[in-house]
Amino acid sequence: MKLKICVDGDALIVNLCGELDHHSAADIREDIIHQYSSNMCRDIIFDFSELYFMDSAGIGMLIGRYKQVCVNGGSVYAVGVSPVIERIFELSGLNKIIKRCTDIATAVSAVNGKKEVI
């Protein structure tokens, strides 16, 4: 699992590459927590365009980040969700708590209050 993290304004942008599973979820969680806190972000944008597998540990990691962000008055956004990951979102209920955007630019605009999200 490769992880790319950057910051744009109040948003932490997390690009997940490969598999988000029980082997990688704990390390990814720690990296995100550290970057989110040290950069004083409010929202998280997850880019799933390069993710091809996610198990229950990945779902748990996403729910945990959702809870962390909610405490800070922020939101979690998802971009690049493939049909396979979409199915996991539907079955797990993640589609009810994570907002969707068509691309990162749209999500960053949503974070900055410039545009409505679907």
Side-chain angles (χ1 to χ4, degrees), residues 11-61:
L12 186 72
I13 301 170
V14 180
N15 184 313
L16 302 165
C17 308
E19 298 181 357
L20 178 53
D21 58 15
H22 69 280
H23 296 293
S24 60
D27 291 337
I28 290 169
R29 179 185 68 236
E30 293 305 316
D31 288 347
I32 292 171
I33 289 171
H34 173 73
Q35 292 295 326
Y36 181 82
S37 299
S38 64
N39 289 293
M40 296 185 291
C41 295
R42 185 189 66 221
D43 305 278
I44 298 178
I45 300 168
F46 284 102
D47 182 355
F48 291 93
S49 60
E50 298 181 64
L51 187 75
Y52 58 85
F53 177 80
M54 181 169 58
D55 68 6
S56 61
I59 294 167
M61 188 279 296

Side-chain angles (χ1 to χ4, degrees), residues 98-118:
I98 296 180
K99 298 177 181 183
R100 298 300 177 74
C101 292
T102 54
D103 54 40
I104 291 175
T106 304
V108 169
S109 291
V111 166
N112 294 323
K114 297 177 185 171
K115 196 169 187 181
E116 274 299 309
V117 178
I118 301 171

